Amino acid sequence: MSTFSREEVVRVADLARISLTEAEVDQFTAELAVIADAMAKVSEVAAPDIPATSHPIPLTNVWREDEIGEGINLPEVLEMAPAVEDGKFAVPQILGEE
């Protein structure tokens, strides 16, 4: 069982430049002990013959099937553009290239 001392909590808080009250130091010391105990239990159960899981519930693909639909009307879209050149949107040059 790994335990965290008040001094360790204060030291880490100082390293992170977090000011804690005495009550917060006590609270975090207890919470870190609970977390360390939980991690120790997981380490006891974890074995090489048990596969790792990324999610407790099997996930399935929820995407819809791709279906070809009606496309956009290019001439209509280009009519709405502020500038058009050779059937494409014209944009300001930004790289200084020709």
Side-chain angles (χ1 to χ4, degrees), residues 42-79:
V42 169
S43 296
E44 290 173 9
V45 175
D49 59 332
I50 298 174
T53 57
S54 62
H55 200 278
I57 300 170
L59 299 176
T60 57
N61 189 351
V62 295
W63 301 105
R64 63 168 172 77
E65 291 295 322
D66 286 337
E67 296 175 5
I68 297 175
E70 186 178 331
I72 61 171
N73 182 337
L74 185 57
E76 186 179 319
V77 171
L78 290 176
E79 279 181 20

Side-chain angles (χ1 to χ4, degrees), residues 1-4 9 27-39:
M1 178 175 130
S2 176
T3 58
F4 289 87
V9 172
Q27 174 188 349
F28 292 137
T29 301
E31 288 177 1
L32 286 169
V34 171
I35 292 169
D37 290 342
M39 293 305 296

Side-chain angles (χ1 to χ4, degrees), residues 77-97:
V77 171
L78 290 176
E79 279 181 20
M80 294 184 274
V84 177
E85 186 177 308
D86 297 327
K88 301 175 189 140
F89 294 110
V91 295
Q93 186 174 341
I94 59 170
L95 298 177
E97 299 176 357

